[in-house]
Amino acid sequence: MRISILGGTGDIGEGLALRWAFHSNHDVIIGSRDAEKAHTKADEYETELDSRGVDVTINGFENGMATDRGDVIVLAVPPYHVGDTVESIADRLDEDDVLVSPAVGMKREEEGFRYHRPGAGSVTRIAADAAPDDVSVVGAFHNLPAARLANLDADLGIDTLILGDDEDATDIVRMLAEDIDGLRALDAGGIANAPEVESITPLLVTLAMHNDGLHDLGVRFS
């Protein structure tokens, strides 16, 4: 498949891009509001993979052009940009496209991070409300440690929770998730459950802050 990662120059975007390009045969496309930045990061990712013996082409484009080229579009942008980003690419989306939202609203306080639940209920719901009616939205990759994901020497051995109201779309994202070695996808139900899933992330970050040896913390359910 062709996976376009909007915000693919950021932390979670980098990790997903490198892992898919390293572990699978899917085409990876980097999107950014700045086309030159997308080109530069795509070249950096290619260089990293080449150093590991993987000959792959990663292209970078402005977000709209990246959307045109993708079958699955990952919204790896800050939570407060999700709605605007979806609206900016809405006319570039086809009915068979799948939008994926990994963003989580958080705010930092003295003792740690708190879940900042948006008025819509979740960031995944913001994406779904902004998307055209015929485009499916799936929540996934919320609780992944970005630095660990981007470190191709690190074993993952963690889970990601998949949320969506369209079974075919969630099946596609589950398949893409499990194409990454060491990542297991679990069904967490519909988008109505997104607040509970998204709220796990600030807990993980807070635990990492307060406990030595728990940096880049992920979750494994058993």
Side-chain angles (χ1 to χ4, degrees), residues 39-122:
H39 291 311
T40 299
K41 278 295 185 180
D43 289 343
E44 290 179 10
Y45 300 161
E46 282 187 2
T47 300
E48 169 67 15
L49 291 160
D50 183 67
S51 73
R52 296 171 179 275
V54 177
D55 182 14
V56 65
T57 298
I58 300 177
N59 292 306
F61 299 98
E62 177 275 329
N63 280 336
M65 294 183 68
T67 301
D68 285 339
R69 290 160 172 77
D71 304 308
V72 174
I73 297 90
V74 181
L75 301 165
V77 299
Y80 44 84
H81 288 318
V82 167
D84 290 343
T85 299
V86 175
E87 290 173 3
S88 73
I89 61 168
D91 61 348
R92 318 294 282 265
L93 294 166
D94 297 324
E95 63 179 354
D96 293 331
D97 290 339
V98 177
L99 279 176
V100 181
S101 175
V104 172
M106 295 188 292
K107 59 182 179 181
R108 183 166 189 167
E109 297 180 358
E110 183 177 352
E111 288 298 318
F113 283 80
R114 300 287 180 267
Y115 179 49
H116 189 206
R117 179 171 176 159
S122 67

Side-chain angles (χ1 to χ4, degrees), residues 142-216:
H142 300 100
N143 315 132
L144 302 184
R148 184 169 161 191
L149 193 66
N151 179 5
L152 295 176
D153 291 322
D155 293 330
L156 292 179
I158 53 178
D159 296 332
T160 185
L161 303 177
I162 309 294
L163 297 145
D165 298 330
D166 181 296
E167 184 175 353
D168 291 338
T170 55
D171 283 346
I172 289 170
V173 177
R174 184 180 300 108
M175 178 270 293
L176 293 178
E178 295 197 335
D179 282 341
I180 295 174
D181 287 359
L183 190 60
R184 182 178 65 164
L186 297 177
D187 186 349
I191 290 176
N193 294 338
E196 286 70 33
V197 173
E198 293 179 12
S199 67
I200 295 172
T201 300
L203 172 61
L204 296 177
V205 177
T206 298
L207 286 171
M209 287 174 54
H210 289 285
N211 294 273
D212 292 339
L214 288 185
H215 297 296
D216 302 327

